[in-house]
Amino acid sequence: MNAMKRAALIEKEWILHKPIEDFVLKEVRELTFNRARGLIALFKEGCETAYIARYREDVHGGLSPEKIRKAKDTYLAAVHLNSKVASSITTITGKLTGLDEKRAVTERLKGCDDMEEVSDITKEFAPGSRKTKANIARGLGLEGPALKVLNGEFVDFCSLITREMKTVRDVEENMKALVADLINKDEEVRKIALKIVKLQTNVRMTVTSKLTREVEKKIETEAVKKVRERYREVIGLTRTAYHIMSHTVSALNRGSEEGVIAWKVELNPSDVTKMHPFQKKTVHRNMQNFFQSAYFYSINTYTVPMLERGVKRFLSKSSEERSITVFGRNVEQLFSQKGVHSKYVIALDPGSIVKAAFLEPNGKVIDMDQFSFSFRAPTFDSRGIEILKNWAKQTMGKDIVVAVGNGSNTYGTQTAVSTMIQNEAFPKEIDVCFCVVPEHGASKYSCTDAAREEFGEDVDIKLISAVSIGRRLIDPMSEYVKIEPQHLGKGQYQLSINEKSLKGKLVDVVRDRVSLIGVDLNLASEALLRNICGLNSTTAAEIVKYRMQKGRFKSRAELKKVKGIGDVSFQQCSGFLTVSRPDELDQPAKKRFKTPDGVAGWSPLDTTTVHPDHYGIALKLISKLNLTVEQIVSGADISFTNLTPEEEEIIKLLRDKPDLKPPPVMMKKCRALKNLRVNEVFLGTVTNTVSSFSEAYLTIVNLRPILECSST
């Protein structure tokens, strides 16, 4: 777990008026109060999302990993809010002298629901900020009279004339600003405001956008024309806030960050007035005209601008959350693809210069090279063709699959490979086919320290991208975890999300997906292991070091021998790491390995998702059913009756297997749109979805990857 998150779990005394469970319940409505409390207890213990999702359904009641992650993010945000409020109370009250004023600001801070409210209150007391009209009025001693007006009492403005306020007009203006401020901060007003901000009312509100002034000044330049083309769908936008799509908000935020677009939310003030709690407020009859003036001043000066900012923040936050959710779903599909382990792989990174790599079935690099591509034919140059033919002769009779990256010129490269296959350029005794592999982030990985460590400083980094493409076909998850999440190309506008939020949340998503799919403890790379629930870069390195020194792990229990893996780490990670049946068990007893002292030997349960904490229950159940682990795991048509809920959960875990997707479609011949026949049906693969449409790559017919289809 991230060290920062661990630190956040060390809470200060809870001082907010609202219990922490309420914060979680507000964001995850599927929970009951007791389930929210149970989840919070697990978060405090340091439990990660994947562990909770799989092994603590008794607490969360069947929530998805996304919902559990949302609950955890909300919990951490609430802990941070509580800490911020505590420090703000200390800071602000230290500047005040009156007990009543200290008590009032303390209560206001303790009633905050989010950091924005804390920030607003803090600004009131920051150096130089007390110059607002309302605060000036407070400084003149008008808060008492203002409260009297709101409580239905008559206030004689003449009696409030002072050296600073020389006329009734001066008093009235100051009183108006202060009464308006008090109205805006009223608890009932804030409740209605929250509903409006969360789009839970019928208040009319519109999102509009335009080019920034800086861009308008350079409207005729070539650079601005390109920018306008990129953002043409959202420049001059006018759309109701209730129907704007999250990907559109992402585009607006990206354009805003780049200084291209200015966008805002505009509310209809009359709609706000109609549902305002003070609309029918009863005041003293001689104060009605003044109150109406202060009331409308409050709505127009404080409430409407506050709501417009709030709605904009809400739309941005919702868009970000949606982006993270979409990313998670797409990454699950990406990571869940089966690898191709039985063939040699020739990987091609397309372009005018084709980068190529020749790999063994296990991913080990045999050779790397590059050669030119002729767009006129399309074909590889003569040197490139000879390189591919020579590589094909080195497979010792094993078949070959050519993995072609899906980037620029992918179709031309596939056509060139298809032509070589059709012309029988490869040895006749081996089967050669090709497929398309996503290449997002391959060039980014090529420049990393990890890549340089594996390939050395002298290797051309452009060639490393070809190796990455090939390995994505052989062992997709192992290769994709090397890529920073924001460069995987899965989702909508990942690069538009707050950088700190993006990295943290996307890493969490990847971590959950890797864990819930699971890895073999004896085969997983260090990059894979550090993404397993309960492990980090240090413990992952120690596991690899242990394997190198001691040989393969004989059981899950042996994990406890690894430096840095204590009880909590073992609890979190062990269920996601499988240990296959050691070959030594087929040997005579005298020749078998010795299990390390104090460590349990291999169990058939080590190959399942049953947690070691539950082995005792599982073994009793298996004995009771008079079955083997293998029989239950196989999914044979066996009926189970009279099982306790605990036993039913064990059966579920025994039969739980990752839902792996098939590898890319293998082809020998390219096809184009003109090859399609009437009523011919082809199955395509949706490789990336966003909230409003799907990018569908019809790899089975090998069309250029530019087709989009509406979601249904």
Side-chain angles (χ1 to χ4, degrees):
M1 181 190 287
N2 187 295
M4 184 178 68
K5 289 191 174 180
R6 280 195 182 278
L9 300 180
I10 303 172
E11 297 177 19
K12 293 185 177 181
E13 176 190 0
W14 191 258
I15 63 172
L16 298 179
H17 289 323
K18 186 185 292 185
I20 194 168
E21 290 83 0
D22 282 4
F23 286 90
V24 175
L25 289 171
K26 187 170 75 172
E27 296 298 325
V28 186
R29 298 185 179 278
E30 295 88 343
L31 289 171
T32 63
F33 187 88
N34 285 336
R35 288 198 184 282
R37 175 171 288 177
L39 269 180
I40 289 169
L42 292 176
F43 297 153
K44 288 180 179 179
E45 292 172 11
C47 295
E48 293 194 46
T49 302
Y51 171 80
I52 295 171
R54 175 173 287 172
Y55 297 114
R56 297 311 305 268
E57 190 172 341
D58 59 312
V59 173
H60 64 75
L63 283 182
S64 66
E66 289 82 7
K67 291 288 185 180
I68 296 171
R69 197 181 311 114
K70 188 171 186 179
K72 187 169 187 177
D73 288 343
T74 304
Y75 159 73
L76 291 171
V79 170
H80 181 52
L81 175 66
N82 185 70
S83 177
K84 181 67 175 177
V85 166
S87 60
S88 296
I89 289 173
T90 302
T91 302
I92 295 173
T93 56
K95 301 175 183 178
L96 306 176
T97 55
L99 289 176
D100 289 341
E101 195 173 9
K102 286 184 177 184
R103 192 178 297 113
V105 74
T106 297
E107 289 302 301
R108 284 177 62 194
L109 284 165
K110 287 183 176 180
C112 289
D113 283 334
D114 56 45
M115 295 298 292
E116 295 295 334
E117 288 186 63
V118 179
S119 179
D120 289 344
I121 296 172
T122 303
K123 285 176 184 176
E124 292 179 25
F125 298 91
S129 64
R130 293 180 67 102
K131 297 299 182 182
T132 63
K133 290 183 179 180
N135 282 334
I136 289 171
R138 283 189 176 90
L140 294 171
L142 295 180
E143 184 146 17
L147 290 170
K148 285 183 178 181
V149 172
L150 293 175
N151 289 331
E153 298 179 42
F154 173 73
V155 175
D156 182 4
F157 287 176
C158 291
S159 67
L160 299 175
I161 292 176
T162 64
R163 187 176 299 173
E164 291 84 5
M165 297 181 290
K166 294 181 172 56
T167 65
V168 171
R169 177 73 175 172
D170 292 340
V171 173
E172 186 174 343
E173 285 300 309
N174 279 286
M175 283 286 288
K176 182 175 75 172
L178 185 48
V179 169
D181 183 64
L182 291 171
I183 290 172
N184 190 55
K185 290 172 180 172
D186 179 81
E187 186 176 344
E188 292 303 314
V189 173
R190 290 301 172 120
K191 286 180 181 178
I192 293 295
L194 185 61
K195 287 186 177 181
I196 294 173
V197 164
K198 290 194 170 186
L199 309 183
Q200 296 171 355
T201 68
N202 294 321
V203 172
R204 286 169 290 177
M205 53 186 87
T206 306
V207 176
T208 61
S209 70
K210 63 180 181 179
L211 291 173
T212 59
R213 290 180 181 178
E214 291 74 13
V215 173
E216 284 283 6
K217 291 176 183 177
K218 304 173 183 177
I219 198 73
E220 296 302 323
T221 64
E222 197 61 35
V224 169
K225 287 179 181 178
K226 289 181 180 179
V227 168
R228 289 182 65 188
E229 176 62 23
R230 192 183 347 150
Y231 289 107
R232 67 183 186 280
E233 297 294 332
V234 293
I235 294 173
L237 179 82
T238 300
R239 195 158 300 167
T240 171
Y242 297 98
H243 297 140
I244 192 166
M245 303 300 293
S246 61
H247 76 277
T248 303
V249 177
S250 294
L252 289 171
N253 281 331
R254 173 182 278 187
S256 178
E257 289 167 8
E258 293 181 0
V260 176
I261 295 172
W263 71 284
K264 62 182 179 179
V265 177
E266 296 176 296
L267 271 71
N268 188 308
S270 64
D271 288 354
V272 177
T273 304
K274 290 175 184 177
M275 62 186 307
H276 199 288
F278 279 60
Q279 183 190 14
K280 297 181 179 180
K281 177 78 173 175
T282 302
V283 297
H284 193 281
R285 61 180 180 170
N286 292 333
M287 305 301 299
Q288 285 179 354
N289 289 338
F290 165 75
F291 173 76
Q292 285 297 311
S293 175
Y295 169 60
F296 285 110
Y297 182 80
S298 178
I299 289 175
N300 293 316
T301 306
Y302 296 134
T303 308
V304 169
M306 175 188 73
L307 292 173
E308 289 175 343
R309 293 191 302 270
V311 172
K312 185 175 180 179
R313 284 196 302 267
F314 177 76
L315 290 174
S316 296
K317 181 183 177 184
S318 299
S319 171
E320 180 175 313
E321 290 178 351
R322 178 63 179 164
S323 294
I324 297 292
T325 299
V326 170
F327 174 84
R329 292 174 184 167
N330 291 329
V331 164
E332 182 172 25
Q333 176 169 312
L334 189 71
F335 284 19
S336 299
Q337 193 169 60
K338 290 180 181 177
V340 175
H341 306 292
S342 59
K343 301 182 179 185
Y344 279 76
V345 174
I346 293 175
L348 303 178
D349 185 0
S352 56
I353 300 296
V354 179
K355 283 72 70 179
F358 183 33
L359 310 176
E360 292 183 4
N362 63 4
K364 183 179 179 181
V365 179
I366 300 173
D367 198 3
M368 293 184 285
D369 214 321
Q370 57 184 359
F371 41 82
S372 298
F373 182 85
S374 172
F375 288 89
R376 188 175 298 176
T379 187
F380 308 122
D381 64 15
S382 57
R383 179 175 172 276
I385 291 174
E386 286 305 310
I387 287 172
L388 298 181
K389 288 167 67 174
N390 287 334
W391 283 353
K393 295 174 183 177
Q394 300 175 39
T395 67
M396 296 173 288
K398 281 195 173 183
D399 297 338
I400 291 177
V401 58
V402 181
V404 181
N406 68 345
S408 175
N409 193 37
T410 181
Y411 187 77
T413 305
Q414 294 166 48
T415 301
V417 173
S418 174
T419 300
M420 287 185 67
I421 294 173
Q422 302 309 312
N423 292 340
E424 299 183 349
F426 299 107
K428 293 182 179 179
E429 64 271 17
I430 63 172
D431 181 70
V432 179
C433 56
F434 68 92
C435 65
V436 181
V437 177
E439 63 175 55
H440 296 294
S443 59
K444 296 283 185 182
Y445 169 70
S446 304
C447 304
T448 62
D449 291 339
R452 284 192 289 270
E453 185 178 336
E454 178 181 357
F455 296 97
E457 295 286 347
D458 298 331
V459 174
D460 187 341
I461 60 173
K462 294 176 182 177
L463 299 177
I464 298 176
S465 63
V467 176
S468 181
I469 290 170
R471 287 177 175 172
R472 292 175 188 202
L473 178 66
I474 296 169
D475 190 350
M477 190 164 70
S478 292
E479 195 62 26
Y480 284 124
V481 293
K482 299 176 182 177
I483 312 299
E484 288 191 17
Q486 64 267 37
H487 298 307
L488 283 171
K490 293 292 163 186
Q492 60 179 61
Y493 289 102
Q494 293 104 315
L495 297 177
S496 298
I497 304 173
N498 174 275
E499 185 177 356
K500 183 178 178 181
S501 171
L502 170 80
K503 287 188 176 180
K505 292 183 178 181
L506 297 196
V507 165
D508 286 346
V509 170
V510 169
R511 195 171 176 82
D512 288 347
R513 298 307 179 198
V514 172
S515 297
L516 292 170
I517 291 170
V519 299
D520 188 312
L521 180 56
N522 287 306
L523 299 177
S525 65
E526 185 177 325
L528 261 182
L529 289 169
R530 73 169 68 107
N531 280 284
I532 288 291
C533 176
L535 300 179
N536 54 35
S537 56
T538 302
T539 48
E542 288 294 335
I543 288 174
V544 173
K545 181 179 176 182
Y546 185 94
R547 281 195 318 224
M548 293 175 66
Q549 294 175 347
K550 308 284 186 181
R552 75 187 308 280
F553 282 87
K554 312 304 188 298
S555 68
R556 275 175 169 162
E558 193 177 345
L559 261 173
K560 294 179 179 179
K561 291 287 185 179
V562 176
K563 181 182 177 182
I565 296 184
D567 292 340
V568 174
S569 295
F570 181 79
Q571 178 203 50
Q572 295 293 299
C573 75
S574 56
F576 306 105
L577 300 166
T578 59
V579 179
S580 56
R581 187 177 190 274
D583 294 337
E584 292 94 328
L585 289 182
D586 295 325
Q587 300 293 327
K590 291 183 179 180
K591 294 186 178 181
R592 292 180 191 172
F593 61 81
K594 290 185 178 181
T595 304
D597 293 339
V599 175
W602 181 82
S603 165
L605 294 172
D606 285 346
T607 64
T608 72
T609 59
V610 175
H611 196 280
D613 288 350
H614 303 145
Y615 278 13
I617 300 169
L619 292 172
K620 286 180 182 178
L621 173 62
I622 292 165
S623 176
K624 169 183 168 181
L625 297 174
N626 196 27
L627 295 169
T628 64
V629 170
E630 290 77 10
Q631 287 174 314
I632 299 174
V633 169
S634 68
D637 189 16
I638 304 170
S639 60
F640 303 99
T641 57
N642 300 321
L643 298 181
T644 66
E646 208 170 30
E647 290 173 335
E648 288 178 353
E649 183 63 23
I650 294 296
I651 294 295
K652 178 182 173 183
L653 289 169
L654 282 169
R655 291 192 158 182
D656 184 33
K657 295 178 182 177
D659 182 21
L660 297 179
K661 311 295 187 295
V665 176
M666 302 297 163
M667 299 172 283
K668 289 181 177 292
K669 187 176 181 181
C670 281
R671 299 192 64 191
L673 278 171
K674 63 183 180 181
N675 300 128
L676 293 177
R677 300 186 299 274
V678 176
N679 296 326
E680 189 171 4
V681 177
F682 285 91
L683 298 178
T685 301
V686 176
T687 63
N688 193 18
T689 64
V690 296
S691 58
S692 64
F693 61 87
S694 302
E695 296 176 25
Y697 295 112
L698 305 181
T699 54
I700 202 161
V701 295
N702 205 31
L703 302 178
R704 299 173 191 267
I706 57 174
L707 302 181
E708 297 175 356
C709 63
S710 298
S711 61
T712 55

